[in-house]
Amino acid sequence: QSVLTQPPSASGTPGQRVTISCSGSSSNIGSKTVNWYQQLPGTAPKLLIYNSNQRPSRVPDRFSGSKSGTSASLAISGLQSEDEADYYCATWDDSLNGWVFGGGTKLTVL
Amino acid sequence: EEQLVESGGGLVQPGGSLRLSCAASGFSVSIDYMNWVRQVPGKGLEWVSIIYSGTITYYADSVKGRFTISRDNSKNTLYLQMNSLRPEDTAVYYCAIDTHSRERADHWGQGTLVTVSS
């Protein structure tokens, strides 16, 4: 049972826009910024979004993040086949003194 | 090139011990925040432990009292001493670091597999 809640799966066709949600509580998302990680099949996770809406320079601007209250979202526009991966939200939890992750969302590009 | 390379994984019996290492190279700035994150094959990510500001450490409840995180700055290496291992500790263990914040990791290693089984 993950502290943060994500839908287990999402899908879209090439070119579409998809969003992935992440729900938490006041001790994590409600008071901290959210990070998103992309894990391509058979590889280690990579930081995709940090501080809720910032992208590392290597990440295309098709990826964007937002946060409101105790929820956050990852949006992917202009969906491409190489976006097929698992996506995890994460943040620091003050009550646990550590990171907490969502259970992950498997994105399928149809 | 910035790189993290984990080592030390393998097969160990329940109740046994193992020490993982993560060697960092190619970083031009000091790495202050170093974590271990694990993943049961086919499952999600689970944060294990963090060390920062030299000596501040935190652990997930699932490993507290059994695992110890440490670092050797002279060798740019992070360690995870794992004692009293249980079958549920079986996972790929990733080293994950950040140079700016304890709340994220912008560099990850390739992972090392730990299997706890008799």
Side-chain angles (χ1 to χ4, degrees):
Chain A
Q1 198 85 357
S2 301
V3 173
L4 306 181
T5 301
Q6 295 181 238
S9 63
S11 63
T13 57
Q16 264 192 332
R17 182 178 188 270
V18 297
T19 61
I20 297 171
S21 63
C22 175
S23 177
S25 68
S26 58
S27 66
N28 43 67
I29 294 179
S31 57
K32 299 292 182 184
T33 60
V34 178
N35 307 304
W36 289 89
Y37 296 93
Q38 177 193 57
Q39 187 174 30
L40 297 169
T43 69
K46 292 180 182 177
L47 183 64
L48 193 66
I49 297 288
Y50 66 97
N51 288 354
S52 301
N53 57 14
Q54 303 297 303
R55 282 179 291 106
S57 56
R58 57 175 169 74
V59 175
D61 60 6
R62 302 186 295 106
F63 295 88
S64 62
S66 63
K67 191 193 96 164
S68 178
T70 58
S71 295
S73 291
L74 172 70
I76 309 172
S77 60
L79 199 62
Q80 299 180 3
S81 58
E82 55 261 39
D83 298 333
E84 196 160 277
D86 293 323
Y87 293 85
Y88 295 89
C89 60
T91 188
W92 184 268
D93 190 300
D94 279 334
S95 65
L96 300 176
N97 276 323
W99 292 4
V100 290
F101 284 98
T105 298
K106 184 176 184 61
L107 175 64
T108 301
V109 180
L110 302 170
Chain B
E1 179 192 359
E2 297 167 333
Q3 201 172 13
L4 298 171
V5 179
E6 299 97 334
S7 60
L11 175 64
V12 61
Q13 291 190 338
S17 298
L18 213 54
R19 189 177 83 156
L20 306 183
S21 300
C22 171
S25 61
F27 290 88
S28 58
V29 296
S30 172
I31 303 171
D32 200 20
Y33 305 95
M34 306 187 83
N35 298 267
W36 289 99
V37 177
R38 67 185 181 183
Q39 184 174 36
V40 173
K43 301 296 184 182
L45 300 171
E46 180 188 17
W47 174 80
V48 173
S49 182
I50 187 173
I51 184 168
Y52 64 96
S53 295
T55 57
I56 297 175
T57 60
Y58 292 116
Y59 299 89
D61 286 344
S62 58
V63 307
K64 205 172 292 182
R66 300 187 299 122
F67 290 11
T68 302
I69 192 171
S70 63
R71 62 186 294 175
D72 184 334
N73 291 332
S74 67
K75 296 181 179 179
N76 289 327
T77 300
L78 174 71
Y79 301 101
L80 185 68
Q81 178 66 43
M82 304 185 295
N83 298 330
S84 303
L85 282 161
R86 306 167 179 168
E88 54 264 37
D89 295 319
T90 295
V92 174
Y93 284 72
Y94 294 103
C95 167
I97 68 97
D98 200 279
T99 54
H100 294 94
S101 171
R102 71 176 183 179
E103 300 181 5
R104 66 176 186 252
D106 57 5
H107 291 85
W108 293 65
Q110 84 289 350
T112 186
L113 177 62
V114 172
T115 303
V116 184
S117 174
S118 54

